[in-house]
Amino acid sequence: MSKWNMIINVGRCENCHNCVIANRDEHVGNDFPGYAAPAAAVGDSPIRILRRTQGSAPMVETTYLPVMCNHCDDAPCIRRAGDAIRKRDDGIVIIDPVKSRGRKDIVRSCPYGAIVWNEEQQVPQTWFFDAHLLDQGWQQPRCQQVCPTNVFEAVKLDDAAMEKKAEKEGLKVLKPNLATKPRIWYRGLERWETCFIGGSVSAECAGVVDCVQGAEVTLSQGGKRLAKATTNEFGDFAFDGFPGDGSTYRVEVSHANGRVWRDCVLSESIYLGELRLVRPGATDAPGGPDAR
């Protein structure tokens, strides 16, 4: 049977909050019996935009991550709530607005923090995929309709087809170690989960310091080369997709104007700053060829 899934394209989100606003416009003050009680005008939103800022000036990267109910196939909230939450045949999780009344404990059952408490109605609520619209024949939830950068992509496939699509396109889920079998997938999640190492290469020629284009930069660990890059017209380079687990890496730069190296420990994305090339034979520059 075909079931609903949502694919979120990480890197396309620009923090416009259209999805959040549209969700509140759809639900604040509007009662949808069987689906949800009216959402509160004041309070947490079931759709949130998380922000991660990496690096330091001038090499800074900001990533926004939309998060909401994952509509898990093995949902901890269902195990906690009993018949107050149901899983539909099409994969959508619905918190019953009547049976869940007063059940604040359901909010704490979600390991993703995707359930909010409606103080006005005394009910837990979440993003229920706008199932009330899909049941009327709509093909997209509100968040997808209003997104100007095509962050959201709702797809309805059987489980085997969805798994095949996820494998082919490199889709991932949040916190896979929880084994909750989410139906919210992320494309490009490594941008959120991994780190980069960057820097700027310069050299002094005829008394003038300038950036160096075309310098060869290698990244290694324990003597093993991991990646290679070439500096751009601003002398900048970056290696991305590495875990921030406290590992030590070595960056080595080579060019006709000289060489330089730096060691760094990667726990968060790091900008190494200016790496000034040193000509062979120089002994007074840290990180130069004779400083090893």
Side-chain angles (χ1 to χ4, degrees):
M1 178 180 179
S2 295
K3 300 178 182 179
W4 286 103
N5 299 267
M6 176 65 78
I7 299 172
I8 296 176
N9 295 288
V10 181
R12 289 187 182 179
C13 181
E14 297 180 347
N15 200 35
C16 70
H17 271 67
N18 273 16
C19 56
V20 177
I21 296 169
N23 181 78
R24 297 190 71 81
D25 176 69
E26 183 71 23
H27 295 284
V28 171
N30 294 326
D31 189 13
F32 298 110
Y35 297 97
V42 178
D44 295 328
S45 172
I47 298 179
R48 295 170 293 143
I49 308 297
L50 306 183
R51 183 174 75 173
R52 181 191 185 196
T53 301
Q54 305 179 69
S56 57
M59 193 172 289
V60 179
E61 182 179 273
T62 300
T63 303
Y64 298 103
L65 189 77
V67 293
M68 64 272 282
C69 175
N70 279 269
H71 296 276
C72 308
D73 285 346
D74 189 10
C77 62
I78 294 179
R79 294 198 296 271
R80 161 73 71 166
D83 65 353
I85 301 180
R86 70 181 188 277
K87 178 80 168 178
R88 303 194 336 174
D89 290 341
D90 61 2
I92 294 176
V93 171
I94 301 288
I95 300 178
D96 191 289
V98 176
K99 295 179 180 179
S100 66
R101 189 172 300 278
R103 295 288 305 276
K104 201 168 186 177
D105 60 304
I106 293 176
V107 175
R108 298 187 294 271
S109 70
C110 178
Y112 303 96
I115 302 176
V116 301
W117 179 250
N118 183 332
E119 187 66 28
E120 293 179 4
Q121 301 291 332
Q122 288 292 297
V123 294
Q125 294 183 314
T126 192
W127 177 73
F128 58 91
F129 223 113
D130 288 340
H132 64 304
L133 299 179
L134 301 180
D135 291 347
Q136 296 175 36
W138 294 42
Q139 297 302 306
Q140 301 176 346
R142 287 290 303 277
C143 59
Q144 182 173 353
Q145 296 168 22
V146 302
C147 182
T149 56
N150 299 317
V151 171
F152 303 98
E153 180 186 346
V155 295
K156 196 174 186 183
L157 299 169
D158 62 58
D159 289 343
M162 188 63 221
E163 288 291 341
K164 184 176 181 180
K165 181 179 179 66
E167 182 178 359
K168 180 180 178 180
E169 300 180 13
L171 305 179
K172 299 179 181 179
V173 298
L174 292 178
K175 302 180 180 181
N177 58 300
L178 297 178
T180 60
K181 301 178 182 179
R183 307 198 73 83
I184 304 299
W185 303 82
Y186 291 85
R187 180 180 287 117
L189 188 60
E190 58 275 3
R191 175 167 173 158
W192 179 262
E193 296 180 330
T194 62
C195 301
F196 71 78
I197 301 171
S200 302
V201 179
S202 66
E204 182 177 350
C205 298
V208 177
V209 177
D210 201 357
C211 57
V212 176
Q213 181 179 6
E216 182 180 285
V217 188
T218 59
L219 181 71
S220 61
Q221 185 179 53
K224 180 182 179 181
R225 178 179 290 188
L226 302 177
K228 184 171 69 173
T230 302
T231 56
N232 63 17
E233 60 268 30
F234 301 106
D236 296 338
F237 68 88
F239 301 100
D240 56 21
F242 291 89
D245 57 3
S247 296
T248 299
Y249 297 87
R250 172 161 291 188
V251 173
E252 297 180 87
V253 184
S254 178
H255 188 265
N257 288 328
R259 301 174 63 191
V260 66
W261 62 270
R262 292 286 188 278
D263 285 339
C264 62
V265 176
L266 192 63
S267 54
E268 290 289 343
S269 292
I270 184 171
Y271 173 63
L272 297 173
E274 181 184 355
L275 280 67
R276 181 77 58 83
L277 294 174
V278 180
R279 292 187 180 279
T283 59
D284 58 349
D290 296 330
R292 297 176 184 241

